[in-house]
Amino acid sequence: MSTRANNTTIAGWIIFLSAFFLFNITLFIGKYEITATSLRSSGLNDEQLEILTTELGTIPVQNLSKYEIVRRVSPALTVMNDKLKQDGRTNLVIYNMPEMVFQIAKGGLTGFYAKNRALFFILVFLPGILGALMIYMPKLKHEKPGIKNNGIYFNPLTARKWLGYSLSAYLVLFYVFLYFLPVHITEMIAITDPVSESILGSPAGKWFMYGLLYTIFILVMGIRFIIRYRHNRYQILRTISVIFFQTVIAFSIPQILTILQKPYMDFKNIWPLDYSFFFSYRINEYLSAGTLGYFMLFWGIALIIIAVPLFTWLYGKRWYCSWVCGCGGLAETAGDPFRQLSDKSLKAWKFERIAIYSVLVFASVMTLLTIVSMFLPDNNIFGAPVNVLHGIYGFLVGSVLAGVIGTGFYPVMGNRVWCRFFCPLAGYLGIIQRFKSRFRITTNGGQCISCGNCSTYCEMGIDVRSYAQNGQNIVRASCVGCGICAAVCPRGVLKLENGPVKGRIKENPVLTGNLNNIS
């Protein structure tokens, strides 16, 4: 790049990192109070408020830190729950204590930061987006299109070095706080209040903040991805697709449904990825919402039993995992710098198959028991409420595997950790793709020069070069059809194709049990 373009990139990094620093420093400038108003804003009813207020003692209390809020409110909520249980009023017990502490804290956020949330939003998000775009825009003019390997295994961010591990630790902490201790990121959530209030007329919850961040990351990093792969029409189109599905289908339409007081639904989310689809409260919401609710129920079931088999047979799992899915969208855009970190070993392949199908079985059994429980007294399974099972699955799969590990480990294990090892929908799609699909990646082994680009950049940990050298089509269940292997091949050895099912798997295929075929 020219000196001018390089200066623009450096300036972009400075602006972006300044916005990132301000976003995080807000965590230490919030002030809180406990008042009757802040307690009522949490959604507690009069009976709960009466007990809680008594336990808290004298209110209002002002000029508190969020740690003091936790120290005061958590014990009072515990005593309140104990008294409600003793009185037999278990329907008033608060089971999600961390969420309630967060709601009380957010309702009591006050001081300079609370009064200037719109200013902080502008100072964080606009420079952050501008800086990120300035980092990559010069490449449009000064670099030829195509992937660049320069320094990828020397960069401290993309080569499992100190910066990558630091980013991973930051992401893990963010997800732990988001899922389990949201009170500790109250200021981060409050910074998106101006957007939530302008759209929904109410302050932002943690999932609104996360959805907004998620969408912005896919949009901005999607632009970066398009710049990097602008020589490849397939990559441009699928990136535009995931940006559209995240921005419109996953984020905007659910907000419209909320405004209209209709059931929440991400119309692209499919069971078992949407593991709560068959929960009784969701079914009741659909049935009570009239025509639209019945359509939502029909839509969700049709996706499971019609769309998934049909489209996977026609196009492989790429139609969803690389063109529609929000998890895949984040992995392909924000996670793209880390795709070369996926483990290509035979050991990782074996673990992958055990892990992903174990989660699929877990999701299937949980869903079956959920449906059965609807016809049993008190929705109990084996003498325990079915929501206990829901909580276990939500904690292990929905939170730890999908969020904490699935995204937090991008800089350590590559960008498709969740999709490769744990996503139950990917497992469902993969079974169909492996045995009954027209999709395959064909290889022309005679042209292969063994450069290894294809294997290096396969985010699903497939040793693509071994298939090419053995003249084998790639029909692995894990392949998401991202097409990067074909995009980085300098000889045009690889092609994503659809064709007859017969003959797509060659004789003597590359398998985990056929080690002689692994180069």
Side-chain angles (χ1 to χ4, degrees):
M1 290 190 294
S2 68
T3 301
R4 183 176 180 180
N6 191 53
N7 290 339
T8 301
T9 299
I10 294 173
W13 274 113
I14 293 173
I15 294 172
F16 173 78
L17 291 175
S18 298
F20 179 72
F21 175 78
L22 179 60
F23 181 57
N24 288 277
I25 206 67
T26 60
L27 294 175
F28 305 99
I29 63 176
K31 290 296 180 181
Y32 297 84
E33 62 183 11
I34 300 177
T35 65
T37 302
S38 68
L39 292 175
R40 189 166 293 279
S41 69
S42 65
L44 294 171
N45 65 24
D46 291 337
E47 293 178 82
Q48 293 167 321
L49 284 172
E50 181 180 355
I51 300 173
L52 183 61
T53 303
T54 301
E55 294 304 320
L56 287 171
T58 304
I59 59 171
V61 184
Q62 298 177 330
N63 202 32
L64 301 172
S65 70
K66 60 172 164 277
Y67 308 104
E68 291 173 312
I69 289 280
V70 173
R71 184 172 58 82
R72 289 169 179 263
V73 172
S74 294
L77 284 172
T78 300
V79 173
M80 182 194 77
N81 280 342
D82 291 340
K83 289 186 176 181
L84 290 172
K85 291 176 182 177
Q86 290 173 4
D87 294 340
R89 293 180 290 174
T90 55
N91 61 308
L92 298 179
V93 171
I94 302 298
Y95 291 100
N96 192 341
M97 294 270 287
E99 181 66 25
M100 181 51 63
V101 174
F102 160 70
Q103 294 294 345
I104 292 173
K106 191 162 187 299
L109 182 62
T110 186
F112 177 79
Y113 181 73
K115 295 176 183 177
N116 294 277
R117 286 170 290 184
L119 174 62
F120 277 93
F121 177 84
I122 293 171
L123 292 177
V124 168
F125 281 85
L126 293 188
I129 293 171
L130 175 63
L133 294 176
M134 288 174 63
I135 292 169
Y136 297 108
M137 280 302 182
K139 296 182 180 181
L140 272 175
K141 183 177 180 181
H142 297 281
E143 281 191 4
K144 294 181 179 180
I147 193 165
K148 305 295 185 299
N149 296 321
N150 303 353
I152 197 169
Y153 286 116
F154 297 95
N155 190 316
L157 179 64
T158 59
R160 293 195 189 98
K161 295 184 179 180
W162 68 270
L163 189 55
Y165 283 113
S166 299
L167 177 59
S168 181
Y170 175 87
L171 292 172
V172 167
L173 280 175
F174 173 80
Y175 276 95
V176 168
F177 289 144
L178 177 71
Y179 283 111
F180 309 120
L181 299 167
V183 67
H184 295 294
I185 56 170
T186 301
E187 293 89 352
M188 283 185 172
I189 297 170
I191 202 173
T192 60
D193 279 350
V195 181
S196 180
E197 288 167 353
S198 65
I199 297 175
L200 304 176
S202 59
K206 65 178 185 179
W207 297 122
F208 180 89
M209 180 275 291
Y210 183 59
L212 181 63
L213 281 179
Y214 204 100
T215 302
I216 290 173
F217 266 95
I218 287 181
L219 175 61
V220 175
M221 294 301 286
I223 294 172
R224 176 250 181 208
F225 190 93
I226 290 173
I227 292 172
R228 192 180 197 201
Y229 295 99
R230 62 189 183 276
H231 64 298
N232 191 295
R233 182 171 176 267
Y234 181 80
Q235 301 303 327
I236 294 173
L237 290 177
R238 76 183 186 91
T239 305
I240 293 173
S241 176
V242 296
I243 291 173
F244 167 79
F245 276 100
Q246 175 59 35
T247 305
V248 177
I249 307 299
F251 185 74
S252 300
I253 290 180
Q255 309 309 324
I256 295 172
L257 292 173
T258 300
I259 295 171
L260 298 176
Q261 297 183 337
K262 299 298 182 181
Y264 175 94
M265 189 174 198
D266 177 354
F267 284 91
K268 65 173 180 51
N269 211 6
I270 306 174
W271 179 93
L273 183 60
D274 181 12
Y275 61 87
S276 66
F277 180 77
F278 290 102
F279 288 6
S280 59
Y281 80 90
R282 293 278 301 274
I283 300 296
N284 292 333
E285 284 180 351
Y286 297 143
L287 296 179
S288 62
T291 303
L292 178 59
Y294 280 98
F295 170 77
M296 289 176 171
L297 188 60
F298 169 78
W299 175 266
I301 295 173
L303 287 177
I304 300 166
I305 64 176
I306 299 176
V308 167
L310 176 61
F311 287 115
T312 308
W313 176 72
L314 289 172
Y315 307 110
K317 63 194 291 185
R318 60 174 170 160
W319 76 271
Y320 188 80
C321 295
S322 287
W323 287 72
V324 174
C325 179
C327 302
L330 187 71
E332 291 295 332
T333 54
D336 178 65
F338 310 106
R339 64 173 59 248
Q340 69 279 354
L341 300 178
S342 60
D343 191 341
K344 313 302 190 297
S345 69
L346 186 63
K347 184 178 180 180
W349 185 6
K350 291 180 177 179
F351 174 75
E352 164 196 319
R353 299 195 302 172
I354 294 171
I356 197 167
Y357 296 120
S358 295
V359 176
L360 176 59
V361 170
F362 187 8
S364 301
V365 171
M366 181 201 67
T367 301
L368 178 61
L369 293 177
T370 297
I371 295 172
V372 170
S373 72
M374 295 179 188
F375 304 96
L376 298 176
D378 301 320
N379 285 16
N380 285 355
I381 288 290
F382 306 124
V386 72
N387 58 16
V388 173
L389 178 62
H390 297 165
I392 294 172
Y393 186 92
F395 171 78
L396 291 176
V397 180
S399 300
V400 175
L401 297 181
V404 177
I405 295 176
T407 305
F409 281 26
Y410 276 9
V412 178
M413 296 177 62
N415 60 323
R416 286 274 190 171
V417 180
W418 162 250
C419 312
R420 180 183 180 186
F421 295 106
F422 307 118
C423 177
L425 180 56
Y428 174 29
L429 292 162
I431 292 172
I432 301 172
Q433 174 172 278
R434 176 65 177 81
F435 297 105
K436 259 324 182 192
S437 177
R438 300 175 70 248
F439 172 71
R440 81 290 308 270
I441 298 178
T442 58
T443 63
N444 182 357
Q447 293 293 317
C448 180
I449 59 174
S450 298
C451 68
N453 276 357
C454 53
S455 292
T456 297
Y457 286 97
C458 178
E459 60 194 357
M460 299 305 291
I462 300 172
D463 189 0
V464 180
R465 179 173 58 179
S466 292
Y467 287 84
Q469 291 173 335
N470 285 277
Q472 298 286 335
N473 291 340
I474 300 169
V475 293
R476 285 265 285 272
S478 61
C479 177
V480 293
C482 68
I484 296 297
C485 59
V488 301
C489 178
R491 301 282 291 174
V493 172
L494 306 162
K495 291 184 179 179
L496 281 69
E497 297 184 357
N498 299 312
V501 175
K502 184 178 180 181
R504 67 191 286 264
I505 301 178
K506 302 290 186 179
E507 294 183 4
N508 199 28
V510 176
L511 299 171
T512 56
N514 190 355
L515 302 184
N516 292 330
N517 279 346
I518 302 291
S519 299

